[in-house]
mmCIF file of all heavy atoms in Angstrom:
data_model
loop_
_atom_site.group_PDB
_atom_site.id
_atom_site.type_symbol
_atom_site.label_atom_id
_atom_site.label_comp_id
_atom_site.label_asym_id
_atom_site.label_seq_id
_atom_site.Cartn_x
_atom_site.Cartn_y
_atom_site.Cartn_z
ATOM 1 N N ARG B 235 5.102 -16.731 16.782
ATOM 2 C CA ARG B 235 3.892 -17.251 16.111
ATOM 3 C C ARG B 235 3.345 -16.250 15.094
ATOM 4 O O ARG B 235 2.157 -16.196 14.849
ATOM 5 C CB ARG B 235 2.776 -17.559 17.121
ATOM 6 C CG ARG B 235 3.117 -18.646 18.119
ATOM 7 C CD ARG B 235 1.865 -19.102 18.861
ATOM 8 N NE ARG B 235 2.167 -20.233 19.703
ATOM 9 C CZ ARG B 235 2.433 -20.132 21.009
ATOM 10 N NH1 ARG B 235 2.393 -18.971 21.614
ATOM 11 N NH2 ARG B 235 2.726 -21.212 21.701
ATOM 12 N N ILE B 288 15.474 -33.822 -4.141
ATOM 13 C CA ILE B 288 16.098 -34.364 -5.359
ATOM 14 C C ILE B 288 15.034 -35.267 -5.989
ATOM 15 O O ILE B 288 14.339 -36.008 -5.278
ATOM 16 C CB ILE B 288 17.368 -35.172 -5.039
ATOM 17 C CG1 ILE B 288 18.400 -34.268 -4.348
ATOM 18 C CG2 ILE B 288 17.960 -35.803 -6.298
ATOM 19 C CD1 ILE B 288 19.588 -35.020 -3.777
ATOM 20 N N VAL B 358 32.331 -38.224 10.546
ATOM 21 C CA VAL B 358 31.155 -39.084 10.476
ATOM 22 C C VAL B 358 31.561 -40.549 10.470
ATOM 23 O O VAL B 358 30.988 -41.377 11.178
ATOM 24 C CB VAL B 358 30.317 -38.718 9.229
ATOM 25 C CG1 VAL B 358 29.177 -39.680 9.039
ATOM 26 C CG2 VAL B 358 29.813 -37.294 9.345
ATOM 27 N N ALA B 492 15.740 -42.669 -13.645
ATOM 28 C CA ALA B 492 15.568 -44.123 -13.531
ATOM 29 C C ALA B 492 14.085 -44.412 -13.712
ATOM 30 O O ALA B 492 13.274 -43.501 -13.833
ATOM 31 C CB ALA B 492 16.058 -44.612 -12.164
ATOM 32 N N ALA B 544 12.066 -26.444 -12.112
ATOM 33 C CA ALA B 544 12.652 -25.486 -13.048
ATOM 34 C C ALA B 544 13.913 -26.056 -13.688
ATOM 35 O O ALA B 544 14.180 -25.851 -14.877
ATOM 36 C CB ALA B 544 12.967 -24.176 -12.323
ATOM 37 N N PHE B 563 7.002 -14.720 -7.390
ATOM 38 C CA PHE B 563 6.581 -14.940 -6.003
ATOM 39 C C PHE B 563 5.510 -13.934 -5.657
ATOM 40 O O PHE B 563 5.703 -12.738 -5.806
ATOM 41 C CB PHE B 563 7.767 -14.753 -5.053
ATOM 42 C CG PHE B 563 8.787 -15.836 -5.150
ATOM 43 C CD1 PHE B 563 9.933 -15.669 -5.904
ATOM 44 C CD2 PHE B 563 8.589 -17.029 -4.481
ATOM 45 C CE1 PHE B 563 10.879 -16.682 -5.995
ATOM 46 C CE2 PHE B 563 9.529 -18.042 -4.568
ATOM 47 C CZ PHE B 563 10.674 -17.871 -5.327
ATOM 48 N N GLN B 604 -33.860 -0.725 7.086
ATOM 49 C CA GLN B 604 -33.275 -1.221 5.838
ATOM 50 C C GLN B 604 -31.941 -0.519 5.598
ATOM 51 O O GLN B 604 -31.864 0.699 5.705
ATOM 52 C CB GLN B 604 -34.251 -0.896 4.697
ATOM 53 C CG GLN B 604 -33.705 -1.072 3.305
ATOM 54 C CD GLN B 604 -33.819 -2.515 2.858
ATOM 55 O OE1 GLN B 604 -34.251 -3.381 3.618
ATOM 56 N NE2 GLN B 604 -33.426 -2.783 1.632
ATOM 57 N N VAL B 772 -38.739 29.008 0.942
ATOM 58 C CA VAL B 772 -37.845 28.565 2.013
ATOM 59 C C VAL B 772 -37.912 29.603 3.123
ATOM 60 O O VAL B 772 -37.884 30.813 2.833
ATOM 61 C CB VAL B 772 -36.392 28.470 1.504
ATOM 62 C CG1 VAL B 772 -35.445 28.115 2.650
ATOM 63 C CG2 VAL B 772 -36.277 27.459 0.381
ATOM 64 N N GLY B 855 -34.301 17.695 -20.781
ATOM 65 C CA GLY B 855 -33.377 18.291 -21.740
ATOM 66 C C GLY B 855 -33.479 19.804 -21.816
ATOM 67 O O GLY B 855 -32.478 20.485 -21.995
ATOM 68 N N MET B 931 -37.139 2.926 -19.377
ATOM 69 C CA MET B 931 -36.330 3.657 -20.340
ATOM 70 C C MET B 931 -36.610 2.988 -21.683
ATOM 71 O O MET B 931 -36.299 1.803 -21.852
ATOM 72 C CB MET B 931 -34.842 3.574 -19.980
ATOM 73 C CG MET B 931 -34.483 4.143 -18.605
ATOM 74 S SD MET B 931 -34.974 5.861 -18.294
ATOM 75 C CE MET B 931 -34.066 6.712 -19.577
#
Side-chain angles (χ1 to χ4, degrees):
Chain B
R235 297 193 174 97
I288 299 170
V358 174
F563 290 98
Q604 168 84 357
V772 176
M931 300 304 299

